[in-house]
């Protein structure tokens, strides 16, 4: 039987918690070619493809995300590109992946928002560069750890293992979407809430509270 996937079995890492039944369904997506984070704000999962390159990898992510986001989803918040990266290997393929996911959501009439990476960090930590006082070669990893620590402390999602940072980032994105719809997962100060204004929200659903 022919398959679009590599024969190596993909890995799925999940941490779980309850989602109130009467809340809207919102997902955060931290898209990555090697490990995509997906969260509804109460659970988080890391999608790790078996294939490491090409269309197999793109199709793994597209299909895995499609299968996990139900038709009745109210909103999906996708992390946008880091504009500071410029062009480097993988950037073009990431553009394809982001386009595939957006188009699939559009076909299913599921609204989506795009959040710049810095605004995701601001919502989690209150500042865009929480590790700025550390040596330059440690800032990126330290900032990822700070976001993860904030997610564990604030939302109780124990992001662990290889996909821990992706799980944490997607949880923050989902929390931002829920907050925008009027269902904040936690009480946050203005330093954090201001991040909501930097997101490109969809025009076809109302914002209940911001």
């Amino acid at each position: 039987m022919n398959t679009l996937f590599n024969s190596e079995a993909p890995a799925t890492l999940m941490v779980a918690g309850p989602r109130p039944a009467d809340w809207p369904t919102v997902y955060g997506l931290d898209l990555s070619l090697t490990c995509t984070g997906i969260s509804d704000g109460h659970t988080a999962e890391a999608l790790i493809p078996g294939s490491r390159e090409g269309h197999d990898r793109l199709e793994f992510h597209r299909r895995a995300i499609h299968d996990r986001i139900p038709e009745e989803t109210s909103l999906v918040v996708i992390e946008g590109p880091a504009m500071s990266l410029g062009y480097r290997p993988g950037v073009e393929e990431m553009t394809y992946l982001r386009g595939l996911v957006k188009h699939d959501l559009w076909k299913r009439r599921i609204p989506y928002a795009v959040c710049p990476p810095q605004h995701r960090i601001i919502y989690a930590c209150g500042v865009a560069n929480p590790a700025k006082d550390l040596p330059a070669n440690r800032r990126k990893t330290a900032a990822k750890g700070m976001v993860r620590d904030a997610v564990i402390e604030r939302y109780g999602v124990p992001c662990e293992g290889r996909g821990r940072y992706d799980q944490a980032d997607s949880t923050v994105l989902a929390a931002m979407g829920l907050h925008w719809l009027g269902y904040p997962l936690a009480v946050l100060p203005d330093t954090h809430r201001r991040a909501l204004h930097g997101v490109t929200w969809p025009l076809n659903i109302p914002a209940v509270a911001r």
Side-chain angles (χ1 to χ4, degrees):
M1 176 174 157
N2 293 329
T3 178
L4 291 172
F5 297 107
N6 185 281
S7 59
E8 178 186 350
T12 298
L13 309 174
M14 178 182 287
V15 290
R19 178 172 65 85
D22 58 344
W23 279 34
T25 302
V26 174
Y27 284 90
L29 284 177
D30 177 36
L31 295 175
S32 168
L33 296 172
T34 56
C35 182
T36 285
I38 180 170
S39 172
D40 63 359
H42 307 276
T43 67
E45 188 174 0
L47 307 175
I48 303 172
S51 176
R52 296 185 178 274
E53 60 183 19
H55 289 279
D56 284 344
R57 180 164 65 176
L58 291 171
E59 177 62 9
F60 166 81
H61 286 295
R62 186 204 65 79
R63 186 174 296 182
I65 292 166
H66 178 97
D67 290 347
R68 285 160 176 78
I69 296 180
E71 299 291 338
E72 66 273 13
T73 296
S74 300
L75 176 65
V76 176
V77 183
I78 303 169
E79 180 161 304
M83 305 309 294
S84 61
L85 290 180
Y87 185 83
R88 63 180 64 183
V91 169
E92 185 176 17
E93 194 174 357
M94 267 301 304
T95 301
Y96 291 156
L97 174 59
R98 199 172 284 109
L100 280 173
V101 171
K102 288 180 179 179
H103 186 66
D104 190 68
L105 293 170
W106 174 81
K107 286 198 303 181
R108 300 166 70 198
R109 299 181 182 274
I110 298 174
Y112 64 83
V114 178
C115 176
Q118 284 192 325
H119 288 269
R120 187 246 313 148
I121 299 172
I122 291 170
Y123 191 82
C125 300
V127 295
N129 301 297
K132 64 182 178 60
D133 294 330
L134 295 177
N137 63 344
R138 294 179 52 198
R139 289 174 192 165
K140 184 176 180 180
T141 300
K144 287 178 176 291
M146 291 175 181
V147 171
R148 174 177 172 264
D149 290 346
V151 166
I152 293 171
E153 180 178 354
R154 187 173 298 136
Y155 308 122
V157 179
C159 307
E160 302 292 346
R162 173 181 166 186
R164 60 192 180 279
Y165 300 135
D166 310 285
Q167 291 171 350
D169 290 350
S170 62
T171 301
V172 175
L173 295 168
M176 294 177 76
L178 285 164
H179 195 156
W180 186 72
L181 287 174
Y183 296 82
L185 292 174
V187 177
L188 297 175
D190 288 342
T191 51
H192 296 60
R193 287 198 303 267
R194 65 191 172 100
L196 297 174
H197 297 294
V199 178
T200 303
W201 299 106
L203 300 176
N204 56 338
I205 57 175
V208 179
R210 302 187 206 185

